Amino acid sequence: MTVVFTDIKNDIAVITIDNPPVNALSHALRSELSNALEGINNNTKIIAAVIICAGRTFCAGADIKEFGKPPLSPTLPDLMEQMDEFEKPLIAAIHGTALGGGFELALCCHHRVMDVNAKVGLPEVNLGLIPGAGGTQRLPRLIGLARALQMITSGKPINAEKAKKLGISEKVSEHNLLEDAISFAKGADVRRIRDLKVDGSTEEVENFQNKIARRSRGFLAPFAALDALKASMELPFEEGIVFEREKFMELVSSSHSKAQRHLFFAERAATKVDGIDKTTPTRKINHVGVIGGGIMGCGIAINFLSAGMAVSLLEISNEAVAAAGEKIRNIYQSMVNKGRISEEQMQTAINQLNLITDYDGLSNSDLIIEAVFEDLNVKKEVFRKLDNIAKEGAIIATNTSFLDINEMANVTTRKSDILGLHFFSPAHIMPLLEIVKTDDTSNEVIATAFQLAKNIRKTPVLSGVCYGFIANRMSSCYGREAGLLLLEGATVEQVDQTMFDFGMPMGMFTMLDMAGIDIGVMARAKLPNGSYDERAFSIHAVLVEKGHKGQKTGAGFYLYEGKEKKHNPEIDKIAEKMAHDFGISRCRKTTKEIEERCILALINEGYKILEEEIALSASDIDVVYAFAFGFPRYKGGPMHYAEHLGLKYVVDRINEFAVQYGDRWWKPSSLLVKRAKESE
Ligand code: 3H9
């Protein structure tokens, strides 16, 4: 299939790239583009050339599926070198998003014309890579070191207006991109970025390194990008390109990039569900009802307001609903203060908010999400009321974190319209949305939920019903091991530091203190005896009894002075007493054991979830844990990490833990055992 087409319009050559879906720079594309350029260079009748793309976007970069395979000639750097030698003015006409290698291709052109809605960026860091086709050497030459540092280490694209300001593009096209690019080409000169000097200093790189140290902790790529950018200043262009290429090749074969690429495809695969496709009908969601004005309800409401939908937020009293309105306004105000949105955007969103105290006010909603107290009877009561007032065809959702949604659906006369939409706190920030289908949720409702997730910019994953669904069921196992480790002799600091060093954003006990220890204690109080390990959560119960519920009370697993946390000596005493009461002997715990107990508990539960078909695939589980709880992306999620460790090793260690600590929890999942055998 041909993917590059050349058309001569008077004396200008128009090269159209047409490689759906996103014009990735595959081997075929590179070869055909290289041939087209050679032909145009040799054609004396042609005075200039324009490169434009068909479909929804300019090139979205190198073909990620080709990474890890032997490189085929011409490689992207070969093509860039050829473009650098091109003797006639070469213009990139950019629409959609020119990303990674796509943007690098545009930087090899002599000029860039951008559609008014186009964006350009170098998002390679998100794949554990650096730009490998000259981006780290050309961009600083074009826009200066400081701005290149920002763009390359953040991976964030910029819009046409900003690109014009920075000098990336010379013209913004508001009407017909191709016509504008052709008319620009007529008077254009040959201007190679490689010939420019970098405006910047080594000191800027060092300062930037300190600036990104926290947010890039554990990642390799952002720091490799700094090295390459430093080289752009210190080395001649040709040597800088070689330096960049070496770094790029090292990263491509690193476990980090493999893991981050795995997550890139996993995130997209999670939206593909058997039985649901483009032909599945979806429902229009313009008006959303939210029940409950707590932190969760308000965060949920903000998602829809920010996406331009009208929201009716229901609370039980005028005071409560006014307080919820205030909370939402405050969150928006802080977004304005941080420069994330404009005053006008805040106002538009808030104007769409309707505060109500009467269920009848939800009768027009296309979707109603309840975020009330986590109690099955309370939620069932809410569902009964909604069944009476919701309009026909409305979707009714619960934001429960743990409870049985089948039971909620059973109290209604419209079981196929019921599902779980599980947001993570803070709901307006955290990217994951667990879509929980009951035994009866219709495909139309599931497809609508996926569409909705896209509209509110969440990453959706489908889960079946079980206690805690995918995310919290796994997290409970990690929490169990963390709790048992305290009784067995580890300290709070030791467990937290180990998991922080593993790459988690914070340790389990810091997280519990932030969320409030009482929430879990209350939830467990309703569980049947024997369904969880009472020993593991015994310290939690004692702390709550004493009123030490975490950060909000100044004491929990840590003591707090403001936000600063300190060792809480009380925990050691409680742990010793509890260990004695439960007959658990205490000893020093190694970092290795702490890490493995927590992570292998996650992995084993992940396999059980897969075995029970609660999750549709292992990669869905990785997306959940990386996006809900910050499992380090450079480790790819617990299931990918298990493969990295070796499934046989994982099973052997779980069996050793079973011998040491009993097989109540340490029984390896049969699917895990099967997969481990297959991998031998
Ligand atoms: C790079 O360029 C390295 C160079 O510096 C040096 C090399 C030597 N390759 O996201 P969507 C697929 S690294 C292969 O759902 P959207 C994607 O998997 C690259 N496939 O659409 C999906 O497939 P499927 C730097 C790719 O409209 C389909 O296209 N570039 C690639 O929501 C549609 O994707 C990037 O990191 C690719 N490069 O968003 C950009 N990109 O239908 C990565 C996409 O089978 N891409 N696919 O599931 C994106 O950010 C988004 O896809 C984009 C469109 C914004 C372009």
Side-chain angles (χ1 to χ4, degrees), residues 176-455:
N176 187 321
L177 178 65
L178 182 58
E179 273 175 21
D180 286 344
I182 290 176
S183 75
F184 187 93
K186 284 178 183 153
D189 58 350
V190 171
R191 180 176 177 256
R192 296 186 177 93
I193 294 176
R194 59 181 292 163
D195 298 335
L196 305 174
K197 282 253 163 320
V198 179
D199 178 12
S201 67
T202 312
E203 211 185 350
E204 279 174 80
V205 179
E206 278 157 14
N207 291 341
F208 207 81
Q209 178 151 1
N210 295 332
K211 199 172 148 194
I212 64 164
R214 220 173 123 213
R215 84 166 125 94
S216 302
R217 179 178 65 92
F219 287 88
L220 295 174
F223 300 100
L226 293 185
D227 290 343
L229 282 156
K230 202 164 162 213
S232 77
M233 268 182 322
E234 293 173 348
L235 301 177
F237 180 81
E238 293 72 18
E239 288 176 35
I241 286 283
V242 172
F243 184 88
E244 176 198 84
R245 187 76 188 151
E246 278 170 11
K247 287 266 167 198
F248 176 85
M249 294 310 284
E250 260 172 42
L251 288 170
V252 164
S253 54
S254 70
S255 62
H256 279 219
S257 178
K258 282 177 194 157
Q260 288 175 253
R261 271 148 43 204
H262 159 75
L263 277 178
F264 175 85
F265 288 115
E267 197 186 340
R268 281 152 183 85
T271 61
K272 297 183 176 76
V273 174
D274 272 354
I276 293 177
D277 59 27
K278 284 188 186 128
T279 63
T280 312
T282 54
R283 299 184 193 170
K284 279 220 159 27
I285 308 289
N286 295 321
H287 191 286
V288 179
V290 176
I291 306 176
I295 293 176
M296 215 51 206
C298 289
I300 292 172
I302 287 173
N303 283 295
F304 298 104
L305 292 170
S306 298
M309 290 174 231
V311 172
S312 293
L313 189 140
L314 179 109
E315 256 295 352
I316 46 167
S317 66
N318 288 332
E319 293 74 35
V321 86
E326 195 56 28
K327 237 178 265 163
I328 291 178
R329 252 185 296 277
N330 288 343
I331 293 175
Y332 270 116
Q333 190 57 56
S334 85
M335 290 190 222
V336 172
N337 296 346
K338 286 178 189 152
R340 297 208 178 122
I341 58 167
S342 67
E343 194 84 38
E344 198 190 339
Q345 283 170 311
M346 167 171 93
Q347 220 38 65
T348 310
I350 288 178
N351 288 346
Q352 294 271 70
L353 175 65
N354 185 21
L355 300 169
I356 58 172
T357 52
D358 191 339
Y359 270 77
D360 285 340
L362 298 173
S363 58
N364 277 332
S365 298
D366 306 306
L367 163 72
I368 305 171
I369 306 176
E370 71 73 23
V372 302
F373 189 61
E374 192 74 349
D375 179 296
L376 189 57
N377 289 329
V378 175
K379 290 195 187 272
K380 278 185 180 171
E381 196 43 44
V382 169
F383 269 72
R384 277 191 200 98
K385 284 188 187 154
L386 291 177
D387 195 28
N388 285 330
I389 60 98
K391 70 178 181 188
E392 201 188 322
I395 296 175
I396 304 180
T398 168
N399 178 53
T400 180
S401 309
F402 290 95
L403 302 174
D404 188 338
I405 307 175
N406 279 315
E407 288 205 37
M408 295 178 214
N410 284 344
V411 303
T412 73
T413 54
R414 40 174 111 196
K415 291 199 262 186
S416 60
D417 292 340
I418 311 290
L419 86 170
L421 289 179
H422 182 212
F423 292 80
F424 292 78
S425 188
H428 61 292
I429 293 176
M430 294 301 285
L432 188 76
L433 180 66
E434 255 181 332
I435 297 175
V436 188
K437 72 177 173 80
T438 68
D439 295 344
D440 300 292
T441 311
S442 71
N443 278 354
E444 188 174 318
V445 168
I446 297 170
T448 307
F450 272 98
Q451 182 62 51
L452 189 73
K454 195 168 182 183
N455 294 347

Side-chain angles (χ1 to χ4, degrees), residues 20-22 24-25 56-67 75-77 97 99-102 104 121-124 126-127 129-135 245 248 264-265 268-269 271-272 454:
V22 294
L25 293 154
R56 64 194 207 234
T57 181
F58 196 80
C59 302
D63 188 336
I64 305 169
K65 292 188 200 98
E66 285 184 4
F67 291 156
T75 63
L76 209 44
T97 42
L99 297 177
E104 291 172 295
L122 293 170
E124 284 87 344
N126 300 328
L127 299 170
L129 297 170
I130 60 167
R245 187 76 188 151
F248 176 85
F264 175 85
F265 288 115
R268 281 152 183 85
T271 61
K272 297 183 176 76
K454 195 168 182 183

